[in-house]
Amino acid sequence: MNMKTDKVLFVCLGNICRSPMAEYVLRYQAQQAGVGERVEVASAGTSGWHNGKDMHPGTAAMLRKHGISPAGFTSSQVHPFDADSYDWIIAMDDSNIDDLKRVIRFNTEQTFKLTDLIPESGYFQVPDPWYTGDFDETYRLVSAGSQALLRKLGLL
């Protein structure tokens, strides 16, 4: 039986804090739930400021704290064809959504904010720990949003 693989792209501004955290957390949660082969996940930034760089040390430390290896990451930028390559493009904040509208063929069914999946959180966007310094807050939101996405995809 051939099962569908959902392709997910997480997007933030620089692709070194929030979106790589979401990428690694979703991949880990899917593996833990026994559905790792059903989800293909990546991340990208809208700015390209950090292209080719590793994730932020605070993001890597937070992943390790939760038993997730941060190995193998390289920052990249959103491409115009990403809307064709991914089933879901999930942004971290309103600014990311605005930037995506200028770059990709935008479809609100396919592209939305992570916090849209967790309205009970009281957050309307995932705060950027580059500015806030609060990687714990980012992890809590990313983890809850990833669980909600797995439920939305029918994988939990």
Side-chain angles (χ1 to χ4, degrees):
M1 183 162 96
N2 191 4
M3 298 206 134
K4 179 184 183 311
T5 299
D6 282 286
K7 295 181 180 178
V8 178
L9 180 67
F10 287 109
V11 175
C12 69
L13 180 62
N15 191 222
I16 60 168
C17 295
R18 296 172 292 174
S19 60
M21 187 184 291
E23 173 187 350
Y24 278 63
V25 167
L26 179 65
R27 187 179 296 126
Y28 178 78
Q29 288 179 352
Q31 289 166 349
Q32 294 298 110
V35 294
E37 72 288 347
R38 301 270 312 276
V39 180
E40 187 179 306
V41 61
S43 63
T46 58
S47 71
W49 293 339
H50 304 285
N51 283 357
K53 301 221 171 96
D54 201 352
M55 66 179 69
H56 189 286
T59 295
M62 189 58 52
L63 291 172
R64 282 192 296 273
K65 176 181 172 181
H66 291 278
I68 304 168
S69 170
F73 179 78
T74 303
S75 178
S76 63
Q77 189 171 4
V78 172
H79 295 283
F81 57 80
D82 283 341
D84 300 320
S85 303
Y86 292 93
D87 301 305
W88 308 99
I89 300 177
I90 303 175
M92 298 296 146
D93 63 33
D94 292 325
S95 177
N96 304 151
I97 292 286
D98 291 343
D99 290 341
L100 284 168
K101 286 178 179 175
R102 289 190 284 276
V103 177
I104 65 168
R105 175 186 46 75
F106 194 86
N107 171 342
T108 56
E109 295 294 310
Q110 175 191 35
T111 305
F112 49 86
K113 292 183 299 184
L114 185 63
T115 50
D116 293 345
L117 296 170
I118 50 170
E120 69 282 0
S121 72
Y123 283 79
F124 297 100
Q125 53 192 15
V126 178
D128 191 343
W130 173 267
Y131 300 105
T132 68
D134 192 343
F135 287 86
D136 284 301
E137 174 186 53
T138 302
Y139 184 86
R140 283 192 308 275
L141 292 167
V142 160
S143 182
S146 293
Q147 287 285 305
L149 179 60
L150 289 172
R151 284 192 298 275
K152 176 182 175 72
L153 300 178
L155 299 175
L156 282 185

